[in-house]
Amino acid sequence: MTEDKKAKNKKILGIKGLNDVLPEDAPVWELLENTAEAVLKSYGYQRIRTPIVEETALFARGLGAVTDIVEKEMYSFEDALNGDRLTLRPESTAGVVRAVVEHSLTYNGPKRLWYSGPMFRHERPQRGRYRQFHQIGAEALGFGGPDIDAELIMLCQRLWDDLGLQGVRLEINSIGNAEERNRHRADLIAWFEQNRDVLDADAQRRLYANPLRILDTKNPAMQEMVNAAPKLLDYLDRDSLAHFEGLKKILEYNRIPFTINPRLVRGMDYYNRTVFEWIGGKAGAMATLCGGGRYDPLFEMFGGRPTPSCGFALGVERLIELLKEQGGAGVAQYTDVFIAHQGEDAMLQAFALAEALRGTGLDVILHCAPAASGSSFKAQMKRADESGATFAILLGEDELKGGKASVKALRAPETENNQRLVPMEQVADYLIGQIIGAEDEHPCGCSGLCSGPSSHGIH
Ligand code: HAM
């Protein structure tokens, strides 16, 4: 083969850090997405979908110029067609606030919104850290009190409970307002200057530009010094303290356990007052599953009216990983029926039967030939079994002669007589009767109430 041809035939692979979600993981993704959607709806949150690409200036202004994301993680490019500076969204809060200001969505009062979708950050790929990852987030816009902060936190707690997740813990902090942070900042810089010999290169660079973020360092050599640094909580005035106390009171009243982490500052400049993170995972591999807080100044930064707001976003991949670790992924992909057939007449009748069954609410997979030569019943039954179907229907010459179909219960014990001939026009009723009869033993253990991936359409 010539070099030219070799290059042409070379496999094209996916981009590093941008992952394919394969069908085997589809059930656990659906479980998370469906549960989150149901929980968000139950708190009155409405869905918003904003573009994946925004003007670069939106993130630079909203997130802050001296943040990891804006400094080194954004996928920014120039639109070759018109020269616009654009960026793949690294997060969604800035885009949601832009859309809310642009469409005056809060003109008649506060709004509770949620979103779900891919985000992009050029980070070093490793477990739980990807260049394309997914977030599900909520933004409550136009609410000034600590009650909404508590509601968002309790919504997360409900989501973890509904997903059956264990060992997810909550950290909260208040980072006050700009004035309080300025007072703290002066003392913090003085403290870091006294400890200059301990500061790593990153911290040196941030010393005057963003000293608060130095508190967030993971560098073991800096922990002792950072732990002893002046605490922002000690600089809060009466209103900020009252806000923080208000949040703690609601959480305590509702028995939501939390710890106060005075070093929790979060990675974007738009935050003020309440910040929080949910942390979970195996010992030694703990990860931040979800993070959020108040961002009262953001609307004005985008030319909107003052609109106090609070929100969070959870990392879908990190939660999926935890769900799988904790056994929540054992949801098999069930379909109700697989139809196998042989011969042209049978194929035509199989199509009609599949449509009729789907019309009654059953999920049906129809065998389609992988090659023009067709396939044996044996090969088709193997596919039927792999599909996870509850029943297989066989349509061959013999069945058609008698106007019947063979219905085989695939999940019944082998010893039972689990195959019978059913008149074609009675197949739907027969299957529904069988499924309802077996409802107590529903495969997902839901007593027939589930709406998850293992449910059949006739619930
Ligand atoms: P964030 O803390 O940057 O906050 O991201 C939220 C969550 O997204 C993280 O806790 C983590 O689970 C996940 N995440 C972040 N980066 C990656 C990555 N490279 N790979 C995998 N997962 C990742 C925000 O994005 C804010 N917009 C949250 C917010 C909403 N604050 C107020 N409203």
Side-chain angles (χ1 to χ4, degrees):
M1 211 187 295
T2 64
E3 285 308 308
D4 200 27
K5 196 150 184 208
K6 257 193 216 160
K8 267 194 194 150
N9 290 348
K10 199 172 161 227
K11 250 192 222 158
I12 298 177
L13 301 175
I15 300 164
K16 196 173 167 201
L18 280 67
N19 301 322
D20 300 309
V21 178
L22 301 179
E24 65 197 41
D25 277 345
V28 68
W29 276 71
E30 278 170 22
L31 177 73
L32 174 56
E33 287 169 339
N34 294 341
T35 313
E37 180 167 356
V39 170
L40 284 154
K41 272 193 183 149
S42 78
Y43 283 75
Y45 285 73
Q46 296 174 294
R47 186 158 188 171
I48 183 165
R49 296 172 202 261
T50 59
I52 285 172
V53 180
E54 298 270 3
E55 259 189 53
T56 304
L58 181 85
F59 303 112
R61 200 192 300 173
L63 276 55
V66 193
T67 53
D68 278 351
I69 296 181
V70 174
E71 274 186 329
K72 51 188 185 201
E73 293 172 1
M74 295 209 302
Y75 282 94
S76 298
F77 57 96
E78 190 179 297
D79 184 335
L81 300 177
N82 59 11
D84 287 351
R85 293 292 307 160
L86 305 176
T87 295
L88 298 185
R89 64 180 183 199
E91 60 99 62
S92 262
T93 308
V96 167
V97 170
R98 188 231 4 102
V100 170
V101 172
E102 193 168 328
H103 303 286
S104 308
L105 289 188
T106 47
Y107 82 99
N108 61 350
K111 276 269 174 304
R112 290 174 165 90
L113 302 177
W114 75 277
Y115 54 85
S116 167
M119 311 291 153
F120 303 84
R121 295 184 193 172
H122 195 110
E123 300 195 72
R124 198 164 60 78
Q126 51 186 291
R127 185 169 175 224
R129 196 173 290 285
Y130 310 107
R131 290 180 175 172
Q132 176 180 312
F133 60 98
H134 295 75
Q135 285 185 345
I136 298 176
E139 312 291 355
L141 313 146
F143 299 89
D147 47 357
I148 199 75
D149 308 4
E151 176 183 285
L152 285 158
I153 288 174
M154 287 168 64
L155 185 162
C156 292
Q157 179 69 63
R158 179 172 291 279
L159 179 56
W160 317 145
D161 290 346
D162 285 3
L163 289 168
L165 283 175
Q166 310 287 325
V168 182
R169 62 183 176 79
L170 172 66
E171 290 187 354
I172 63 170
N173 190 23
S174 174
I175 57 166
N177 59 30
E179 205 179 298
E180 292 152 352
R181 279 197 298 279
N182 275 342
R183 276 190 273 131
H184 171 250
R185 184 191 147 96
D187 289 354
L188 194 60
I189 291 176
W191 172 260
F192 289 141
E193 279 173 341
Q194 282 167 39
N195 291 280
R196 212 180 254 278
D197 50 329
V198 191
L199 299 184
D200 59 17
D202 234 21
Q204 297 274 4
R205 205 170 41 79
R206 286 182 164 146
L207 179 53
Y208 301 104
N210 199 348
L212 204 56
R213 289 285 289 154
I214 300 178
L215 295 176
D216 219 12
T217 178
K218 304 276 179 292
N219 183 348
M222 286 171 57
Q223 297 305 309
E224 201 180 320
M225 180 276 293
V226 155
N227 274 331
K231 295 195 176 25
L232 186 42
L233 275 177
D234 296 332
Y235 292 74
L236 299 193
D237 67 16
R238 217 184 48 198
D239 286 353
S240 289
L241 274 177
H243 189 103
F244 198 43
E245 287 307 316
L247 168 63
K248 289 194 293 186
K249 195 171 182 179
I250 302 174
L251 294 181
E252 277 158 7
Y253 184 80
N254 287 286
R255 298 199 173 83
I256 307 287
F258 61 85
T259 51
I260 297 170
N261 176 359
R263 280 175 50 187
L264 181 62
V265 294
R266 309 267 310 128
M268 291 76 145
D269 286 359
Y270 52 57
Y271 288 111
N272 76 320
R273 291 199 170 157
T274 309
V275 287
F276 60 89
E277 282 185 354
W278 293 92
I279 294 148
K282 273 202 264 203
M286 287 290 186
T288 305
L289 304 169
C290 172
R294 295 199 74 79
Y295 47 92
D296 300 334
L298 193 55
F299 272 73
E300 286 164 274
M301 286 157 71
F302 290 163
R305 292 215 302 247
T307 309
S309 302
C310 188
F312 71 80
L314 61 83
V316 173
E317 281 80 357
R318 293 188 188 177
L319 272 152
I320 298 280
E321 204 154 310
L322 194 63
L323 275 168
K324 284 163 79 172
E325 252 170 48
Q326 298 189 358
V331 204
Q333 183 87 56
Y334 288 103
T335 184
D336 297 312
V337 183
F338 186 102
I339 304 185
H341 53 83
Q342 208 146 45
E344 193 176 349
D345 279 354
M347 181 269 286
L348 292 171
Q349 294 214 23
F351 261 91
L353 181 61
E355 289 304 324
L357 294 180
R358 289 183 190 119
T360 68
L362 290 166
D363 295 340
V364 182
I365 296 177
L366 177 66
H367 167 76
C368 287
S373 55
S375 18
S376 68
F377 264 135
K378 196 172 163 212
Q380 293 187 44
M381 288 310 284
K382 192 163 171 260
R383 294 273 166 266
D385 205 40
E386 286 164 359
S387 75
T390 317
F391 293 94
I393 295 179
L394 290 86
L395 293 179
E397 253 176 53
D398 291 348
E399 283 85 3
L400 290 194
K401 264 187 222 146
K404 295 186 173 169
S406 278
V407 180
K408 185 172 182 191
L410 294 175
R411 310 290 144 205
E414 273 306 321
T415 48
E416 273 179 39
N417 177 12
N418 51 11
Q419 184 161 344
R420 67 179 55 190
L421 278 170
V422 180
M424 202 65 112
E425 63 285 359
Q426 290 173 20
V427 172
D429 285 347
Y430 173 77
L431 289 174
I432 290 170
Q434 291 286 306
I435 289 171
I436 290 174
E439 206 114 87
D440 291 344
E441 304 158 51
H442 192 266
C444 58
C446 72
S447 319
L449 289 172
C450 79
S451 58
S454 61
S455 82
H456 40 69
I458 60 164
H459 272 158

